[in-house]
Amino acid sequence: MIIEITHQEDKTIHKFKVKDDKKLTSDEVKRICLKMGVKALFISGNYYENKS
């Protein structure tokens, strides 16, 4: 499945392929955070933090 995330500060839209948009894996969170240049994500009501 593909999710779209809008960056809160610069309003750019990023698209990522994930297995389940309701529960991201730690690898997915790490990959998305690195690509977007952020430390945390808020997706579908869930907060995720890159622990690396």
Side-chain angles (χ1 to χ4, degrees), residues 2-49:
I2 302 292
I3 59 171
E4 281 189 8
I5 305 171
T6 303
H7 194 287
Q8 186 175 2
E9 291 179 352
D10 61 20
K11 305 301 182 207
T12 55
I13 297 173
H14 302 266
K15 295 181 181 183
F16 299 97
K17 185 175 181 181
V18 296
K19 290 183 182 180
D20 181 5
D21 67 339
K22 304 285 189 256
K23 184 166 172 50
L24 300 182
T25 67
S26 59
D27 287 340
E28 290 170 338
V29 172
K30 182 178 179 179
R31 177 174 47 91
I32 293 169
C33 284
L34 288 174
K35 291 269 187 178
M36 291 185 67
V38 297
K39 294 183 180 181
L41 305 167
F42 191 70
I43 301 171
S44 299
N46 294 311
Y47 177 80
Y48 300 96
E49 189 173 353

